[in-house]
Amino acid sequence: MQVFKVYFQILRRHIGQIILYVGIFAAIVFGFILPNVDTNPAESFTAEKCLFAVFDSDESEASRALIGWLSEKHEPTEIADDRETTVQDALYNRNVYGVLRISEGYEAALAAGASAEELAELVELLTIPGTLTGELFATDVNRYLTFAALSCRSGASVTEAAEGAERALQASLTTELSKENAGSTRSKIYYFFSYLSYVFVVMSVISIAPVLSVFRKPEVQTRISCSSYPFHRMNRELLLGVFLTGLLFLVFFGGWAGIVFGGELFCARGALYLLNLLLYLAVGLALAYLVSQLVTTQDAISMVANTISLGMSFLCGVFVPMEYLGDAVLAIAHFLPAYWYQKTLMLLQEDYSGELGTICGNFAMLALFVVALVAVGLVAARQKSRRQLA
């Protein structure tokens, strides 16, 4: 097992680069992506409530109706008094976002048919400037005064005006948020596995290709061929080393996902996530084998690895969601393995029971990419061997 041991001795030299890309993945996913993922934006919306204080000098049925309606929409509280300094301190310290002063004569003016502008002079409102909460509170007060004034001027009593204003302001429309092109509704586990497609390719190529390229050097192959070490044994041990390297990657990131997502991964859907990742890992290993046949220097291998991984990530919906990509870009993406990996991840976000045929087709496409990359690598290796013999 000498070749097997030498394989891992050379691989250890690249452990720093592997750790670097693991750190990049962790920083992107756990530092920026997952903390900002809203997994249920439709249910997460709630109207903003304003913390407000009120001083009622009118103490009438109309003023109590106004205060009661505002208390249903917002959160009433108390401050010591309505002196200017007290109010300003409360607003400055965010103890309240709005203060309402209802002057004496409010109900009388309402019953006399005063306009909304005239009522606003009797209902003094102070809010924190430039805050959405304060603006919302002021809007609600003005809307109530407008409806109440219109009702009274139409002949309604003060009681009827208050009830009419409440009914009018409680009216709402049924709305439905479309999920079409709603990339933000995707789960956190989607983003975890999505960004792994970038990391797996670059890690596979920069760690495995340099090791294989060492054994492809003419002087190394000549020495091995002159020894008692059979050629097929060398390839078998190299293949075993590549397989174990890929298995370590899969166990590490699969275990990481299991720790982070727990039961979400230990189910049928989670098994499909892992199978999709396994096939894409095979693509990365096959790509590493191909690159090792075409490129020899470490700098060139790193350049090729980053170019391929970044290119597929931008073209296939990793960094930019597919719904924002043009038709021409998506047409090109069909010829890249990351596209089929991403399509499976997208299908797993919804009820995938009716899409199992499509998912299996995507798996088959990844398997075909593996076969194609290995076949091209074998052809390149044979051509290289013939040139060396010539």
Side-chain angles (χ1 to χ4, degrees):
M1 301 290 285
Q2 290 300 316
V3 171
F4 182 77
K5 294 178 181 178
V6 172
Y7 170 90
F8 280 100
Q9 288 176 357
I10 301 174
L11 184 65
R12 279 201 298 269
R13 299 177 185 175
H14 305 281
I15 192 68
Q17 287 184 299
I18 296 175
I19 294 174
L20 172 64
Y21 283 100
V22 171
I24 291 174
F25 170 77
I28 293 175
V29 173
F30 295 100
F32 298 99
I33 304 299
L34 297 190
N36 296 306
V37 172
D38 187 358
T39 57
N40 206 357
E43 280 79 3
S44 66
F45 173 79
T46 56
E48 189 73 19
K49 291 189 174 183
C50 176
L51 194 64
F52 74 98
V54 60
F55 296 94
D56 184 9
S57 298
D58 195 47
E59 296 184 349
S60 60
E61 179 185 354
S63 63
R64 286 191 291 270
L66 171 59
I67 296 169
W69 182 79
L70 289 174
S71 299
E72 292 178 3
K73 294 271 293 181
H74 302 277
E75 295 183 19
T77 188
E78 295 181 359
I79 58 176
D81 52 62
D82 64 341
R83 290 184 302 175
E84 193 68 26
T85 55
T86 305
V87 171
Q88 292 297 331
D89 286 344
L91 292 172
Y92 179 80
N93 294 316
R94 299 302 197 265
N95 295 328
V96 292
Y97 281 80
V99 176
L100 200 65
R101 293 193 184 106
I102 304 177
S103 301
E104 187 176 353
Y106 165 73
E107 184 177 76
L110 183 62
S115 65
E117 291 77 11
E118 292 171 333
L119 291 178
E121 295 179 0
L122 297 171
V123 181
E124 182 184 2
L125 176 62
L126 298 172
T127 60
I128 301 176
T131 61
L132 293 177
T133 306
E135 292 292 338
L136 175 62
F137 184 69
T139 299
D140 285 340
V141 172
N142 292 329
R143 289 173 63 205
Y144 182 94
L145 295 178
T146 299
F147 280 109
L150 287 174
S151 297
C152 280
R153 298 182 78 176
S154 300
S157 65
V158 170
T159 302
E160 293 171 340
E163 293 175 352
E166 290 186 19
R167 283 196 302 270
L169 294 171
Q170 286 173 353
S172 61
L173 295 175
T174 301
T175 59
E176 181 179 349
L177 295 178
S178 173
K179 292 186 177 180
E180 184 179 359
N181 296 334
S184 61
T185 61
R186 292 170 187 161
S187 63
K188 292 185 177 182
I189 195 172
Y190 165 85
Y191 289 102
F192 182 91
F193 281 93
S194 178
Y195 278 83
L196 268 184
S197 64
Y198 159 67
V199 174
F200 260 26
V201 168
V202 69
M203 283 180 54
S204 298
V205 175
I206 67 168
S207 61
I208 296 174
V211 182
L212 296 180
S213 65
V214 170
F215 288 93
R216 299 290 180 259
K217 291 181 178 179
E219 59 272 21
V220 175
Q221 287 194 334
T222 302
R223 290 189 63 180
I224 293 176
S225 63
C226 293
S227 67
S228 59
Y229 217 85
F231 183 76
H232 65 85
R233 182 179 175 184
M234 179 193 74
N235 284 314
R236 185 172 64 248
E237 293 182 15
L238 284 176
L239 182 61
L240 179 60
V242 171
F243 174 77
L244 287 179
T245 304
L247 184 62
L248 288 173
F249 287 164
L250 183 65
V251 170
F252 176 78
F253 285 104
W256 196 352
I259 293 172
V260 173
F261 301 107
E264 193 173 353
L265 196 66
F266 302 121
C267 60
R269 191 189 302 268
L272 292 175
Y273 275 117
L274 293 176
L275 181 57
N276 193 34
L277 185 63
L278 175 62
L279 289 171
Y280 196 75
L281 173 61
V283 171
L285 298 179
L287 189 59
Y289 172 72
L290 174 60
V291 172
S292 71
Q293 302 298 332
L294 303 176
V295 184
T296 56
T297 65
Q298 178 62 49
D299 291 340
I301 289 173
S302 296
M303 181 184 69
V304 170
N306 281 283
T307 301
I308 293 174
S309 60
L310 288 172
M312 287 198 299
S313 296
F314 279 109
L315 293 174
C316 301
V318 179
F319 295 155
V320 180
M322 282 191 185
E323 52 266 26
Y324 300 126
L325 299 176
D327 293 338
V329 175
L330 291 176
I332 297 172
H334 279 73
F335 297 95
L336 300 173
Y339 172 83
W340 304 99
Y341 175 83
Q342 289 293 128
K343 290 292 287 184
T344 300
L345 291 182
M346 293 171 65
L347 290 173
L348 291 176
Q349 297 305 291
E350 305 294 339
D351 181 12
Y352 64 91
S353 56
E355 301 290 345
L356 287 176
T358 304
I359 292 174
C360 290
N362 294 344
F363 289 164
M365 288 298 299
L366 290 176
L368 287 175
F369 274 106
V370 173
V371 173
L373 290 171
V374 172
V376 174
L378 289 173
V379 171
R382 175 168 293 185
Q383 294 296 327
K384 189 176 181 179
S385 177
R386 287 178 177 176
R387 286 196 300 268
Q388 290 174 356
L389 292 175

